[in-house]
Amino acid sequence: MTTHFFSGGTTISGAQLASTIANMASLGGIGHQVLKSFGISEIEPEKYYPFQIRRSIHATVLSRFGPEALYSFGFGYGDSWVHIHEALYAFRKKWETKGTDEQPWLATEQAVDMISGVSFSMMNDLLKKNSHGEIYYGAWITRLGHGHYRAELRNTSALTQEAFPHGLFVNFFWAFLSDYWSFKVTFDPTSTKTGDEWTHFVWDVHFTPHRSNKTALQLSWEHRLAAREALLGRVLADSEQKHQHILGSVNYASRLQRGQLPRQDRIERRFSSFASIWEPRDTIGGDLYWLSSSQQSGPFV
């Protein structure tokens, strides 16, 4: 039995939440930290959780690593919708024989219409299952002209988290159209609407004919790796920033400790024999001092 993960709805499955956290393993324990703030120590796959948990996780990731992180996660999340990939693969294999050597079917706008239409229709079927009351979730794509489309997706992501659903749906464009078409996706904030439990995202999409000597699968994997590299670049930059902050604090602590050592010019006038030894393990040492004498009239140490 295939498990389908849903994006959207006032609740999300434990399996979906666990998948979200697993995808973010490279970022450390952010997911588990957010779970702890909600009083959750362990995820039960069959249980359903408030959608705010994933939104909080994405908000934390966005604030630390930027939209590159959410885009990478959204693109990877599209891979979990295996049944859509299987359906599009079968659909493309069936129709690609309809064309000719001079005009392959995949190079026609009909191919763009049909493949993008099937992918959005199947996404819509999944999303709307979590609709409730007057709140509904879904995905739609509308042709506006030659190679020009409007893509829409309504789910529980916050307005600032646009990169996640963006990465989700272009996953299918890369996997099934990129060998014959290049595409540019532009977020349309003026047409996008938002509510307490939903955001209705809108994008402007332009397709341009483009023949590659690589397969769509190869191009998809290259893009996936490029998105991952961009994310890891942000992670490394964040780590370096934290490292420099810690190093600065350590160096400042070392200055304070050195400032507490006896000054030679002040002490040597009061003792016939005096010396100070400072040997920290790395940059800073201990903060405890001892004063003792081997005998009552002997030297102090």
Side-chain angles (χ1 to χ4, degrees), residues 131-157:
S131 301
H132 61 98
E134 296 182 354
I135 298 177
Y136 63 94
Y137 303 91
W140 309 267
I141 189 164
T142 307
R143 180 173 180 172
L144 302 178
H146 290 299
H148 186 199
Y149 298 79
R150 181 176 65 249
E152 304 172 69
L153 191 149
R154 176 182 285 213
N155 73 346
T156 58
S157 296

Side-chain angles (χ1 to χ4, degrees), residues 12 71 147 200:
I12 59 175
Y71 179 84
H200 189 113

Side-chain angles (χ1 to χ4, degrees), residues 9 24 27 43 47 51 58 95 114-115 123 137 189 194 228 231 252 257 264:
M24 299 192 317
L27 304 186
I43 301 174
K47 185 177 178 180
F51 78 91
H58 285 181
W95 278 88
M114 297 178 73
I115 290 177
M123 282 192 289
Y137 303 91
T194 186
R228 195 68 178 169
L231 165 59
Y252 188 73
Q257 288 190 329
Q264 189 85 12

Side-chain angles (χ1 to χ4, degrees), residues 257 278-287:
Q257 288 190 329
W278 174 246
E279 294 182 348
R281 180 184 180 279
D282 292 306
T283 305
I284 58 176
D287 292 324

Side-chain angles (χ1 to χ4, degrees), residues 268-286:
E268 63 185 6
R269 292 175 303 198
R270 295 175 172 81
F271 293 89
S272 59
S273 176
F274 171 82
S276 63
I277 301 175
W278 174 246
E279 294 182 348
R281 180 184 180 279
D282 292 306
T283 305
I284 58 176

Side-chain angles (χ1 to χ4, degrees), residues 114-128:
M114 297 178 73
I115 290 177
S116 62
V118 170
S119 62
F120 270 78
S121 177
M122 296 188 74
M123 282 192 289
N124 184 67
D125 289 341
L126 284 179
L127 292 167
K128 71 180 182 181

Side-chain angles (χ1 to χ4, degrees), residues 5-292:
F5 293 156
F6 305 141
S7 288
T10 55
T11 60
I12 59 175
S13 70
Q16 179 186 355
L17 189 57
S19 176
T20 296
I21 293 174
N23 284 339
M24 299 192 317
S26 60
L27 304 186
I30 289 179
H32 292 288
Q33 291 167 12
V34 174
L35 287 180
K36 187 176 180 180
S37 70
F38 279 86
I40 300 172
S41 58
E42 185 177 353
I43 301 174
E44 300 178 32
E46 302 303 322
K47 185 177 178 180
Y48 281 81
Y49 297 85
F51 78 91
Q52 290 91 342
I53 296 177
R54 190 177 69 177
R55 182 181 280 193
S56 296
I57 293 174
H58 285 181
T60 303
V61 170
L62 181 65
S63 65
R64 285 188 57 181
F65 305 110
E68 294 90 346
L70 291 187
Y71 179 84
S72 178
F73 293 148
F75 197 92
Y77 192 67
D79 293 337
S80 69
W81 288 1
V82 178
H83 72 296
I84 297 182
H85 278 268
E86 291 176 346
L88 287 174
Y89 175 77
F91 183 85
R92 171 175 159 142
K93 189 174 182 180
K94 172 185 176 181
W95 278 88
E96 65 185 355
T97 59
K98 303 295 183 181
T100 64
D101 292 340
E102 294 75 19
Q103 180 66 11
W105 177 79
L106 286 166
T108 66
E109 290 194 9
Q110 183 188 34
V112 178
D113 287 346
M114 297 178 73
I115 290 177
S116 62
V118 170
S119 62
F120 270 78
S121 177
M122 296 188 74
M123 282 192 289
N124 184 67
D125 289 341
L126 284 179
L127 292 167
K128 71 180 182 181
K129 290 182 179 180
N130 278 345
S131 301
H132 61 98
E134 296 182 354
I135 298 177
Y136 63 94
Y137 303 91
W140 309 267
I141 189 164
T142 307
R143 180 173 180 172
L144 302 178
H146 290 299
H148 186 199
Y149 298 79
R150 181 176 65 249
E152 304 172 69
L153 191 149
R154 176 182 285 213
N155 73 346
T156 58
S157 296
L159 178 63
T160 56
Q161 299 167 9
E162 174 270 337
F164 180 79
H166 180 164
L168 173 63
F169 78 82
V170 299
N171 174 292
F172 304 114
F173 291 170
W174 278 100
F176 299 99
L177 288 169
S178 61
D179 49 349
Y180 281 87
W181 297 88
S182 61
F183 46 89
K184 181 179 180 181
V185 179
T186 305
F187 177 50
D188 183 358
T190 59
S191 300
T192 295
K193 308 297 180 184
T194 186
D196 293 336
E197 300 178 7
W198 55 271
T199 303
H200 189 113
F201 296 99
V202 180
W203 298 270
D204 198 53
V205 185
H206 286 271
F207 284 90
T208 305
H210 164 76
R211 185 67 184 102
S212 174
N213 57 3
K214 297 180 180 179
T215 67
L217 182 62
Q218 290 174 318
L219 293 168
S220 179
W221 272 106
E222 288 179 0
H223 183 74
R224 182 184 286 101
L225 292 175
R228 195 68 178 169
E229 287 179 1
L231 165 59
L232 294 179
R234 291 298 299 265
V235 172
L236 291 174
D238 181 78
S239 299
E240 178 62 21
Q241 183 180 17
K242 285 181 169 55
H243 173 72
Q244 292 300 327
H245 179 74
I246 294 172
L247 187 60
S249 298
V250 169
N251 289 333
Y252 188 73
S254 177
R255 290 176 57 192
L256 291 177
Q257 288 190 329
R258 292 177 183 276
Q260 296 178 56
L261 296 176
R263 287 178 55 180
Q264 189 85 12
D265 59 340
R266 290 185 177 183
I267 303 299
E268 63 185 6
R269 292 175 303 198
R270 295 175 172 81
F271 293 89
S272 59
S273 176
F274 171 82
S276 63
I277 301 175
W278 174 246
E279 294 182 348
R281 180 184 180 279
D282 292 306
T283 305
I284 58 176
D287 292 324
L288 299 178
Y289 301 89
W290 290 266
L291 183 66
S292 62

